[in-house]
Amino acid sequence: MQDDLRIQVSDIHIASEALTINEMVALAKERVALEDRVPLAEGEAFVLKTWYASWKNSHRSEHPEEPTHIKVEAADEFQALIPWSQADSALFLYAQKGQKLSKGYPIRLYVPDGSSECLNVKSIMKIWFLHDAAWGEEASYGFKNKITLDELKFKK
């Protein structure tokens, strides 16, 4: 696993940047033991919404509105779109037993209260904080559909 692996974090009103896990953890004001929130799971995590507030403050952003949604994309191209209202208890798992994640590296999203169908997204590489209520109040998830031009061509 790469020590310098970066996770892309974007909010149109704040910044778009690539952060290491250590940089993300350093911004985390509220860290928790995952087992306190998710039965049968363990590890070190930070709270999504307080992390977002800290990241926003680190950029001295004065944009008054919270995001409407968070979208995450995993290394395997799995994606989840979660309304902000369903992310109150969301956490990012970043370590287990003081070590980097062996499964789900570099970070893993948990939404433990069951408010969102996207309970667990592993190997997150991109995080977008979105500001568009048109996305609605339903969480969605699945793999990206990538089809090449050659696959679209009809072959006889």
Side-chain angles (χ1 to χ4, degrees):
M1 289 180 252
Q2 301 171 332
D3 284 337
D4 60 347
L5 184 67
R6 294 184 176 269
I7 300 159
Q8 187 67 37
V9 179
S10 299
D11 183 316
I12 193 168
H13 300 291
I14 299 172
S16 181
E17 63 184 333
L19 299 171
T20 66
I21 298 163
N22 290 338
E23 290 169 333
M24 291 185 77
V25 172
L27 284 169
K29 301 285 188 225
E30 188 176 358
R31 297 182 203 168
V32 297
L34 185 63
E35 52 270 23
D36 291 346
R37 307 251 184 120
V38 181
L40 305 175
E42 64 178 49
E44 297 96 55
F46 55 87
V47 177
L48 166 67
K49 284 193 173 183
T50 57
W51 182 88
Y52 174 79
S54 181
W55 179 69
K56 180 179 175 178
N57 289 339
S58 75
H59 287 283
R60 295 176 174 76
S61 173
E62 295 182 15
H63 184 72
E65 297 172 20
E66 287 190 323
T68 58
H69 296 78
I70 178 174
K71 180 179 178 182
V72 294
E73 183 177 321
D76 63 1
E77 296 186 355
F78 185 85
Q79 298 183 75
L81 177 71
I82 303 168
W84 196 247
S85 62
Q86 294 181 23
D88 288 342
S89 64
L91 308 162
F92 283 117
L93 176 68
Y94 64 90
Q96 290 179 310
K97 298 180 182 177
Q99 301 294 315
K100 294 176 189 167
L101 300 180
S102 59
K103 223 177 167 181
Y105 180 81
I107 60 174
R108 191 174 200 149
L109 174 70
Y110 279 91
V111 184
D113 66 359
S115 65
S116 172
E117 292 184 45
C118 305
L119 170 63
N120 178 355
V121 181
K122 64 182 189 275
S123 303
I124 293 174
M125 299 301 297
K126 296 178 183 176
I127 304 167
W128 293 274
F129 296 100
L130 306 173
H131 298 266
D132 187 352
W135 286 103
E137 283 300 312
E138 292 290 322
S140 61
Y141 54 93
F143 290 93
K144 270 186 182 179
N145 289 327
K146 282 193 172 182
I147 300 171
T148 67
L149 185 58
D150 287 337
E151 292 170 324
L152 287 173
K153 291 179 183 176
F154 180 76
K155 295 184 179 181
K156 294 183 180 183

